Protein backbone atom coordinates (compact mmCIF):
# COMPACT_ATOMS: atom_id res chain seq x y z
CA UNK A 1 0.00 0.00 0.00
CA UNK A 2 1.33 3.39 -0.98
CA UNK A 3 1.30 6.16 1.60
CA UNK A 4 2.18 9.82 1.33
CA UNK A 5 2.94 11.56 4.60
CA UNK A 6 3.30 15.33 4.79
CA UNK A 7 5.20 17.16 7.50
CA UNK A 8 6.44 20.64 8.30
CA UNK A 9 3.20 22.57 8.44
CA UNK A 10 2.10 24.88 11.21
CA UNK A 11 1.57 28.48 12.17
CA UNK A 12 3.83 31.21 10.85
CA UNK A 13 3.70 34.98 10.70
CA UNK A 14 3.26 36.79 7.42
CA UNK A 15 6.61 37.23 5.74
CA UNK A 16 7.97 34.07 7.28
CA UNK A 17 8.93 30.73 5.78
CA UNK A 18 7.97 27.10 6.07
CA UNK A 19 9.25 23.96 4.42
CA UNK A 20 6.86 21.12 3.77
CA UNK A 21 8.00 17.58 3.12
CA UNK A 22 6.11 14.66 1.66
CA UNK A 23 7.54 11.18 1.89
CA UNK A 24 6.18 8.37 -0.24
CA UNK A 25 6.35 4.89 1.21
CA UNK A 26 5.13 1.48 0.19
CA UNK A 27 5.45 -0.70 -2.81
CA UNK A 28 6.02 1.78 -5.58
CA UNK A 29 8.46 1.28 -8.42
CA UNK A 30 8.47 4.54 -10.29
CA UNK A 31 7.16 8.00 -9.56
CA UNK A 32 6.81 10.52 -12.33
CA UNK A 33 5.07 13.79 -11.55
CA UNK A 34 4.88 14.99 -7.95
CA UNK A 35 3.12 18.06 -6.76
CA UNK A 36 1.39 20.12 -4.14
CA UNK A 37 -2.19 21.33 -3.94
CA UNK A 38 -3.81 23.56 -1.38
CA UNK A 39 -7.31 24.38 -0.28
CA UNK A 40 -8.30 27.43 1.71
CA UNK A 41 -11.47 27.48 3.80
CA UNK A 42 -14.49 28.04 1.59
CA UNK A 43 -12.46 27.84 -1.61
CA UNK A 44 -11.76 25.21 -4.21
CA UNK A 45 -8.57 23.22 -4.16
CA UNK A 46 -5.89 24.72 -6.35
CA UNK A 47 -2.63 23.50 -7.76
CA UNK A 48 0.41 25.05 -6.12
CA UNK A 49 3.04 23.45 -8.31
CA UNK A 50 4.49 20.31 -9.79
CA UNK A 51 7.87 18.76 -10.43
CA UNK A 52 8.80 16.05 -12.91
CA UNK A 53 11.21 13.22 -12.20
CA UNK A 54 13.79 15.20 -14.15
CA UNK A 55 13.34 18.27 -11.98
CA UNK A 56 11.27 20.52 -14.24
CA UNK A 57 8.89 22.64 -12.22
CA UNK A 58 5.65 24.48 -12.78
CA UNK A 59 3.99 26.93 -10.38
CA UNK A 60 0.75 28.74 -9.90
CA UNK A 61 1.10 32.44 -10.64
CA UNK A 62 0.18 33.27 -7.06
CA UNK A 63 3.29 31.56 -5.67
CA UNK A 64 5.88 32.15 -8.38
CA UNK A 65 9.03 33.67 -6.98
CA UNK A 66 8.08 32.74 -3.42
CA UNK A 67 7.65 28.97 -3.42
CA UNK A 68 10.09 26.34 -4.62
CA UNK A 69 9.39 22.67 -5.21
CA UNK A 70 12.20 20.13 -5.13
CA UNK A 71 12.46 16.39 -4.81
CA UNK A 72 14.82 13.65 -3.78
CA UNK A 73 14.15 10.73 -6.06
CA UNK A 74 16.28 8.37 -4.01
CA UNK A 75 14.10 9.08 -0.99
CA UNK A 76 10.80 9.38 -2.89
CA UNK A 77 10.31 12.71 -1.18
CA UNK A 78 9.04 16.03 -2.47
CA UNK A 79 9.55 19.36 -0.73
CA UNK A 80 7.81 22.71 -0.83
CA UNK A 81 9.85 25.66 0.37
CA UNK A 82 7.54 28.57 1.06
CA UNK A 83 9.02 32.02 1.57
CA UNK A 84 7.47 35.45 2.02
CA UNK A 85 4.27 33.83 3.18
CA UNK A 86 1.04 35.78 3.00
CA UNK A 87 -2.23 35.33 4.83
CA UNK A 88 -3.80 34.12 1.61
CA UNK A 89 -1.37 31.17 1.61
CA UNK A 90 -3.30 29.73 4.55
CA UNK A 91 -4.83 26.37 3.78
CA UNK A 92 -4.56 22.61 3.77
CA UNK A 93 -1.60 21.55 1.68
CA UNK A 94 -1.67 18.11 0.09
CA UNK A 95 1.02 16.36 -1.88
CA UNK A 96 0.51 14.04 -4.82
CA UNK A 97 2.60 11.45 -6.59
CA UNK A 98 1.88 9.87 -9.94
CA UNK A 99 3.00 6.26 -9.95
CA UNK A 100 3.92 4.87 -13.33
CA UNK A 101 2.18 1.54 -13.87
CA UNK A 102 3.69 -0.35 -16.75
CA UNK A 103 0.93 -2.96 -16.94
CA UNK A 104 -1.62 -0.31 -17.88
CA UNK A 105 0.82 2.01 -19.63
CA UNK A 106 -0.42 4.80 -17.47
CA UNK A 107 -0.31 6.32 -14.01
CA UNK A 108 -2.07 6.04 -10.69
CA UNK A 109 -2.28 9.21 -8.64
CA UNK A 110 -1.66 8.94 -4.92
CA UNK A 111 -2.58 11.64 -2.43
CA UNK A 112 -1.48 12.52 1.06
CA UNK A 113 -3.80 13.36 3.94
CA UNK A 114 -2.87 17.00 3.92
CA UNK A 115 -1.21 19.31 6.39
CA UNK A 116 -2.38 22.66 7.68
CA UNK A 117 -0.48 25.86 7.03
CA UNK A 118 -1.71 28.97 8.78
CA UNK A 119 -0.23 32.39 8.11
CA UNK A 120 -1.06 35.08 10.63
CA UNK A 121 -0.77 38.81 10.13
Amino acid sequence: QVQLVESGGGLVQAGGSLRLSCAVSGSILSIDLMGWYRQAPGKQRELVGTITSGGSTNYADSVKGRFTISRDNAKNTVYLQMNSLKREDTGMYTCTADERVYSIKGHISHWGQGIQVTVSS
Side-chain angles (χ1 to χ4, degrees):
Q1 184 176 357
V2 176
Q3 283 190 316
L4 280 66
V5 179
E6 299 99 339
S7 60
L11 175 65
V12 64
Q13 285 191 330
S17 298
L18 278 178
R19 188 191 193 213
L20 304 184
S21 299
C22 173
V24 182
S25 63
S27 179
I28 187 165
L29 293 179
S30 181
I31 300 174
D32 285 340
L33 197 69
M34 301 183 81
W36 290 92
Y37 284 78
R38 69 183 181 186
Q39 186 168 20
K43 294 188 177 181
Q44 287 189 328
R45 184 171 58 196
E46 63 172 347
L47 177 66
V48 175
T50 59
I51 184 167
T52 67
S53 57
S56 296
T57 55
N58 182 53
Y59 299 97
D61 288 342
S62 58
V63 306
K64 280 180 182 176
R66 300 187 298 121
F67 290 12
T68 302
I69 295 177
S70 60
R71 64 190 280 176
D72 185 333
N73 290 329
K75 295 181 179 179
N76 282 346
T77 300
V78 62
Y79 305 96
L80 179 64
Q81 178 67 45
M82 304 183 290
N83 299 328
S84 302
L85 282 161
K86 305 175 181 179
R87 286 191 64 185
E88 51 264 43
D89 294 318
T90 294
M92 182 69 71
Y93 284 70
T94 305
C95 66
T96 66
D98 286 349
E99 175 188 8
R100 187 186 308 170
V101 181
Y102 294 94
S103 60
I104 63 172
K105 297 181 180 179
H107 295 84
I108 296 176
S109 292
H110 301 282
W111 292 74
Q113 291 296 311
I115 192 164
Q116 181 66 34
V117 171
T118 303
V119 184
S120 64
S121 58

